[in-house]
């Protein structure tokens, strides 16, 4: 059973479109991180959300942490080909454990 | 400042051979991790080291051993490689256990 479920699994869009990807769990997380991984490279941290209801913006990317801290979303405005990559959410398992767990990711392709 | 480095970048092994994957970080981080990434499976934690001198099993530890050599270095050993261990291996580090992680570029391992 995957602790963090990401959707959609794949997304193929045209440059300029908006999109939202989701990261959901039945468990409460003390924090969630979003990473982007480009082909052939390791994941790179984008943002950490900590407080329920928190919204963070990184240029055209908007990250939100659910009020109950069980879900998070990433919204990209006016997607560009440079946004292409695998978007991963991750967080510590909790329950006294700090073992990190990752979702399986959303693979995004933005066509010029 | 190199961040997290991994060697080798690519490796081909025959079934039954052994090898050690090396990882080093120069960020003075306390925690280090080894993951494997397979298509459709996301990142799965093999072993982690919350602090120097400690190591613990992750989700998929069978067939692997680790050594936290010092605060900087964390190695992963395959004693008798199997085709099921064909994967991309990532090392990561974080200042706090379960916190924001910084990844290396990965080792692409093929076992024939």
């Amino acid at each position: 059973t995957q602790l963090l479920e990401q959707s959609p699994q794949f997304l193929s869009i045209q440059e300029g479109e908006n999109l939202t990807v989701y990261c959901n769990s039945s468990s409460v997380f003390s924090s969630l991180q979003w990473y982007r991984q480009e082909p052939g490279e390791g994941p790179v941290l984008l943002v950490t959300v900590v407080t329920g209801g928190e919204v963070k913006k990184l240029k055209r990317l908007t990250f939100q942490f659910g009020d109950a801290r069980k879900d998070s979303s990433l919204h990209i405005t006016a997607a560009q080909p440079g946004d292409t990559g695998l978007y991963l959410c991750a967080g510590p398992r909790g329950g006294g454990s700090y073992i990190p767990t990752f979702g399986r990711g959303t693979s995004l392709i933005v066509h010029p | 400042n190199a961040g997290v480095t991994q060697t080798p970048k690519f490796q081909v092994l025959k079934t039954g051979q052994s090898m050690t994957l090396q990882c080093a970080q120069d960020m003075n981080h306390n925690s280090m991790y080894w993951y494997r990434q397979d298509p459709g499976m996301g990142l799965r934690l093999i072993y982690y080291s919350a602090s120097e001198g400690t190591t613990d099993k992750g989700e998929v530890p069978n067939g692997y051993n680790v050594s936290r050599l010092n605060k900087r270095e964390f190695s992963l050993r395959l004693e008798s490689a199997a085709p099921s261990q064909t994967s991309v291996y990532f090392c990561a580090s974080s200042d706090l256990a379960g916190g924001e992680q910084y990844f290396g570029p990965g080792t692409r391992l093929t076992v024939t």
Side-chain angles (χ1 to χ4, degrees), chain A residues 73-110:
Chain A
S73 63
L74 159 59
H75 181 79
I76 301 179
T77 303
Q80 298 177 0
D83 295 326
T84 292
L86 180 68
Y87 289 82
L88 295 157
C89 65
R93 284 176 181 260
S97 167
Y98 292 100
I99 298 175
T101 187
F102 278 79
R104 293 186 180 177
T106 292
S107 180
L108 171 65
I109 297 175
V110 182

Side-chain angles (χ1 to χ4, degrees), chain A residues 50-65:
Chain A
V50 178
T51 306
E54 181 177 7
V55 176
K56 281 191 173 179
K57 293 195 175 187
L58 192 67
K59 296 183 181 177
R60 293 175 294 100
L61 278 60
T62 301
F63 304 84
Q64 185 158 6
F65 201 12

Side-chain angles (χ1 to χ4, degrees), chain A residues 5-110:
Chain A
E5 297 284 349
Q6 291 191 246
S7 61
Q9 190 177 354
F10 300 100
L11 199 51
S12 178
I13 63 171
Q14 294 297 127
E15 183 175 1
E17 292 184 24
N18 300 333
L19 67 118
T20 302
V21 298
Y22 301 92
C23 174
N24 294 302
S25 178
S26 57
S27 302
V28 174
F29 280 79
S30 58
S31 64
L32 277 179
Q33 297 135 24
W34 284 93
Y35 296 81
R36 178 169 64 211
Q37 183 179 20
E38 297 185 17
E41 299 183 9
V44 174
L45 178 70
L46 295 173
V47 79
T48 299
V49 287
V50 178
T51 306
E54 181 177 7
V55 176
K56 281 191 173 179
K57 293 195 175 187
L58 192 67
K59 296 183 181 177
R60 293 175 294 100
L61 278 60
T62 301
F63 304 84
Q64 185 158 6
F65 201 12
D67 290 341
R69 291 186 288 127
K70 292 183 177 181
D71 56 272
S72 182
S73 63
L74 159 59
H75 181 79
I76 301 179
T77 303
Q80 298 177 0
D83 295 326
T84 292
L86 180 68
Y87 289 82
L88 295 157
C89 65
R93 284 176 181 260
S97 167
Y98 292 100
I99 298 175
T101 187
F102 278 79
R104 293 186 180 177
T106 292
S107 180
L108 171 65
I109 297 175
V110 182

